[in-house]
């Protein structure tokens, strides 16, 4: 039997895939832990500091995330859906080792050119640095996901997020500096990568640590980058659309408003946590359905994901509608509870995003990345126009409306594209 590195190994050393149910349970549990840690970090920071310091961290994430999404090229999705083994593991790792340092340099350069004060610049740099070991770990997790061992991915995710949360809160309590706290997350992520991801990856990919060596074969890397670039651009456009309200809030209303917005947005991400877990679980099966031309099964999986997203979002809206003010007061401070109306709109946006997420996983399985780059670009431009119109006037509520409108446009375009591709595929079949 051949492993992902193209080497022949005995079947005794191969790690057997887990069942769909097992993978789903592990993935949802890991995503809940990750979402809980991210939310808990903002809760702790809101309790221990000011909205302006929360805004610094949110700004660091808003600037670095789109750039690292571009540099990462969404290679985990490409890797997990590589049903025909077109590329070796070393190609995916080699491309990340080239692109991620570039993303770090561009992040620092952009923040410096934007004229942010030194303390904010340090936070942005620390956040960007923490994303580099995360990216390398994500590469190994792509191999785990392709082999349907999402329990391994889940354990790595749980350890990394619990450790990063504890490190951040502990260092911040001792130093009072968001930059040092964010830097501690980089150290924790690197430790998990070396101590857990690499040994498990070597067992899975096959035999020894040499199996994890990058392959710098330029023709293959250019081909892989060309395949993945449209998907990376889409991810960056989505991220820019989600983070544009943060940029505009910081510019027109200050870091404190950005901090409040970042905090109240967290509940709307709960549904995405569940959808991400389910989507990663069924993605290999979706890829096999597409590869075999079974559009009927692929469409059923997409519809199920969309339905679950609608149910999860509807429950969340009902909870926030009834008890949003009390929840915000309990978790943060009374000044955060004044924005319950914006929170309800964010929950509506989250529900629309859940539905679009189901469509997105179905389209990722087809690997038709070039087709829907145009659709996301159009929705991103229209969403940006909404932001420039609404946020300077309406502030935090305008930011919520902007995200709601952007998600609606993206979901509409995704639905039209999936219908077109499925109709085209069934006609050929």
């Amino acid at each position: 039997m051949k492993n992902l590195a193209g080497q022949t190994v005995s079947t005794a050393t191969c790690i057997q895939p887990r069942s769909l149910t097992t993978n789903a349970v592990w993935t949802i549990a890991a995503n809940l832990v990750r979402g809980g840690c991210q939310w808990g970090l903002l809760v702790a920071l809101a309790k221990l500091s000011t909205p302006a310091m929360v805004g610094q961290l949110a700004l660091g994430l808003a600037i670095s995330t789109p750039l690292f999404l571009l540099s990462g090229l969404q290679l985990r999705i490409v890797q997990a859906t590589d049903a025909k083994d077109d590329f070796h593991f070393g190609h995916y790792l080699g491309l990340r080792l080239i692109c991620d340092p570039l993303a770090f340099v561009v992040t620092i350069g952009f923040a410096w050119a934007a004229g942010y004060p030194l303390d904010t610049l340090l936070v942005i740099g620390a956040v960007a640095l923490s994303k580099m070991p995360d990216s390398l770990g994500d590469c190994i997790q792509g191999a785990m996901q392709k082999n349907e061992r999402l329990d391994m991915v889940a354990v790595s995710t749980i350890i990394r997020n619990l450790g990063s949360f504890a490190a951040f809160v502990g260092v911040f309590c001792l130093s009072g500096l968001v930059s040092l706290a964010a830097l501690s997350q980089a150290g924790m992520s690197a430790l998990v990568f070396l101590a857990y991801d690499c040994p498990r990856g070597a067992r899975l990919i096959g035999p020894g640590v040499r199996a994890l060596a990058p392959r710098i074969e330029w023709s293959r890397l250019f081909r892989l980058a060309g395949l993945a670039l449209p998907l990376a651009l889409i991810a960056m456009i989505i991220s820019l659309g989600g983070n544009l309200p943060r940029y505009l809030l910081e510019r027109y209303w200050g870091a404190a408003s950005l901090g409040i917005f970042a905090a109240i947005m967290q509940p709307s991400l709960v549904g995405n946590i569940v959808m991400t877990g389910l989507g990663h679980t069924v993605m290999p099966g979706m890829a096999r359905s597409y590869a075999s031309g079974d559009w009927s099964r692929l469409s059923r999986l997409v519809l199920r994901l969309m339905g679950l997203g609608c149910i999860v979002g509807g429950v969340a809206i009902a909870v926030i509608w009834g008890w949003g003010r009390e929840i915000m007061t309990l978790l943060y401070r009374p000044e955060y509870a004044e924005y319950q109306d914006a929170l309800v709109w964010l929950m509506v946006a989250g529900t629309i995003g859940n539905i679009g997420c189901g469509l997105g996983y179905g389209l990722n399985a087809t690997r038709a990345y070039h087709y829907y780059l145009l659709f996301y670009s159009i929705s991103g431009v229209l969403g940006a126009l909404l932001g420039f119109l609404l946020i300077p006037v309406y502030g935090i509520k305008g930011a919520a409306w902007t995200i709601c409108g952007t998600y609606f446009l993206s979901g509409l375009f995704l639905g039209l594209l999936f219908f077109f591709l499925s109709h085209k595929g069934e006609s050929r079949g």
Side-chain angles (χ1 to χ4, degrees), residues 157-217:
T157 301
I158 290 170
I159 296 173
R160 177 177 280 105
N161 281 273
L162 288 175
S164 295
F165 171 77
F168 186 99
V169 175
V171 171
F172 182 78
C173 288
L174 292 173
S175 67
L177 297 174
V178 180
S179 56
L180 282 182
L183 191 62
S184 71
Q185 291 184 305
M188 181 58 65
S189 182
L191 179 61
V192 174
F193 171 73
L194 294 173
Y196 182 87
D197 293 335
C198 286
R200 270 68 181 180
R203 286 177 55 203
L204 181 69
I205 298 168
V209 179
R210 290 184 179 179
L212 301 180
R215 292 193 176 192
I216 309 299
E217 300 172 358

Side-chain angles (χ1 to χ4, degrees), residues 9 46 76 119 143 150 221 230 256 258 272 279 319 349 360 365 369 372:
V9 297
R76 177 174 168 180
D119 56 342
L150 290 175
L221 294 184
L258 172 57
N272 183 261
V319 171
Y369 307 139
Y372 54 98

Side-chain angles (χ1 to χ4, degrees), residues 283-369:
M283 191 189 300
M286 285 180 166
R288 288 192 296 270
S289 297
Y290 172 74
S292 63
D294 191 354
W295 276 95
S296 178
R297 182 172 183 270
L298 178 59
S299 297
R300 287 197 303 270
L301 290 172
V302 169
L303 288 173
R304 289 174 185 173
L305 280 180
M306 292 172 63
L308 286 171
C310 190
I311 293 171
V312 171
V315 172
I317 291 173
V319 171
I320 294 301
W321 185 280
W323 300 283
R325 185 176 297 275
E326 290 79 5
I327 291 173
M328 291 297 100
T329 301
L330 177 65
L331 291 177
Y332 303 118
R333 292 180 178 177
E335 58 263 36
Y336 290 82
E338 298 176 6
Y339 296 92
Q340 184 186 10
D341 290 346
L343 178 58
V344 172
W345 279 107
L346 286 171
M347 301 308 295
V348 173
T351 303
I352 298 172
N354 293 344
I355 297 171
C357 188
L359 286 164
Y361 278 111
L363 286 168
N364 285 337
T366 69
R367 311 187 90 189
Y369 307 139

Side-chain angles (χ1 to χ4, degrees), residues 7 69 75 91 100 130 191 205 216 230 233 312 321 339 356-357 369 373 406 415:
Q7 301 165 325
L69 281 173
L75 289 179
H91 295 134
D100 286 342
S130 70
L191 179 61
I205 298 168
I216 309 299
L233 290 172
V312 171
W321 185 280
Y339 296 92
C357 188
Y369 307 139
L373 175 58
T406 302

